[in-house]
Amino acid sequence: MSVEQIPAVRGGADPAADRARSAVRPRSSMTIDFLGYARNSLIIATLYATLVTLGSAWVGFGFARLSAPGRKALFGILLGSMMLPQTVTLLPTCLIFAKLGMVDTYWPWVLWGLAATPYLVFLFRQFFAGLPRELEEAAIVDGCGYAGIFWRIFLPQSWPVVAASFVIAFTWTWGDYIAPQLLLSTDRTTLAVAVMTTYVTEAGQPVTHLQAAASVMYVVPILLVFLVAQRGFVAGMSTSGLK
């Protein structure tokens, strides 16, 4: 390599800071609205995490405190569904959403959240099953229905599991790539899809230094959510398995 071919290095420049700035405002054709896509990811992740936490808590409450024929069999089927890979159900679900006209909207994540998820249902069921029966009986004597028992007594008592479930669901959705790639357009997609599909050369090869810089900033919201809910997350994971 000749002297003329050696790239010049500016005095005092910070290569890491330059890569971070390039990831947010890259040059040439690799243009990405980093904050815009981050906003899309934040909306989807927060919406799904909130709904799936409440939905899973309600279903877990039913399995833990209500008696009905076939309850144990249904709970076993629910646990067995966790063994199904996501891709087995994702493609048929996407076809259903396409027929319902929900492609390129956030409605799939709303419906997924309202439908709950087996793992979080299991966490809430185990936690609610360990609460004293006297709490429920005293509320019934006072004329409170099961809906009121759930919202006024059981849900406030389950803050550790709520925090753990929210962090888990938020992390799932924030890092999801397949569902947004299939269901959302380029303008409404998430940051994960934008980073992986935009920071590439014309030949389709990844621009590694831009992807690495973007990935560092990509994990910041996850770290913030975990730090805020860290105490509840640890307590929820340690107590939800006790009956």
Side-chain angles (χ1 to χ4, degrees), residues 1-204:
M1 178 181 293
S2 62
V3 177
E4 291 79 4
Q5 292 176 313
I6 299 177
V9 179
R10 293 173 297 176
D14 187 351
D18 290 341
R19 294 190 187 99
R21 285 191 293 267
S22 298
V24 179
R25 297 188 299 270
R27 296 181 294 273
S28 70
S29 61
M30 292 177 290
T31 303
I32 178 175
D33 183 7
F34 196 92
L35 296 179
Y37 288 123
R39 182 185 64 249
N40 295 343
S41 295
L42 184 62
I43 292 173
I44 293 176
T46 304
L47 180 65
Y48 174 80
T50 302
L51 293 177
V52 79
T53 299
L54 295 177
S56 300
W58 180 247
V59 176
F61 173 78
F63 277 118
R65 313 304 291 197
L66 302 181
S67 298
R71 183 185 64 173
K72 293 184 178 179
L74 288 176
F75 188 66
I77 295 173
L78 180 74
L79 295 181
S81 65
M82 290 193 295
M83 294 185 292
L84 291 175
Q86 181 188 12
T87 53
V88 173
T89 58
L90 181 59
L91 292 179
T93 305
C94 290
L95 294 177
I96 294 175
F97 288 145
K99 291 183 179 181
L100 295 177
M102 295 182 179
V103 176
D104 200 21
T105 68
Y106 295 157
W107 276 107
W109 285 267
V110 173
L111 298 181
W112 280 327
L114 294 176
T117 189
Y119 179 69
L120 299 185
V121 170
F122 173 75
L123 291 182
F124 279 104
R125 188 264 181 190
Q126 294 300 101
F127 182 85
F128 289 147
L131 294 180
R133 181 68 64 176
E134 288 77 12
L135 292 174
E136 180 181 342
E137 293 174 350
I140 294 175
V141 171
D142 292 337
C144 187
Y146 278 103
I149 293 173
F150 171 75
W151 287 106
R152 298 179 183 179
I153 300 176
F154 278 71
L155 191 61
Q157 293 286 335
S158 63
W159 157 245
V161 187
V162 170
S165 300
F166 185 89
V167 172
I168 292 172
F170 189 93
T171 305
W172 282 346
T173 313
W174 183 268
D176 188 16
Y177 175 84
I178 300 178
Q181 177 75 343
L182 293 175
L183 294 171
L184 298 177
S185 63
T186 304
D187 295 333
R188 299 175 65 89
T189 193
T190 59
L191 186 60
V193 177
V195 168
M196 296 304 297
T197 57
T198 304
Y199 295 141
V200 295
T201 63
E202 296 180 356

Side-chain angles (χ1 to χ4, degrees), residues 217-242:
M217 294 182 288
Y218 176 79
V219 300
V220 170
I222 297 295
L223 294 177
L224 293 177
V225 170
F226 178 76
L227 291 176
V228 170
Q230 180 181 9
R231 182 175 300 178
F233 177 81
V234 175
M237 296 302 294
S238 61
T239 60
S240 59
L242 302 178

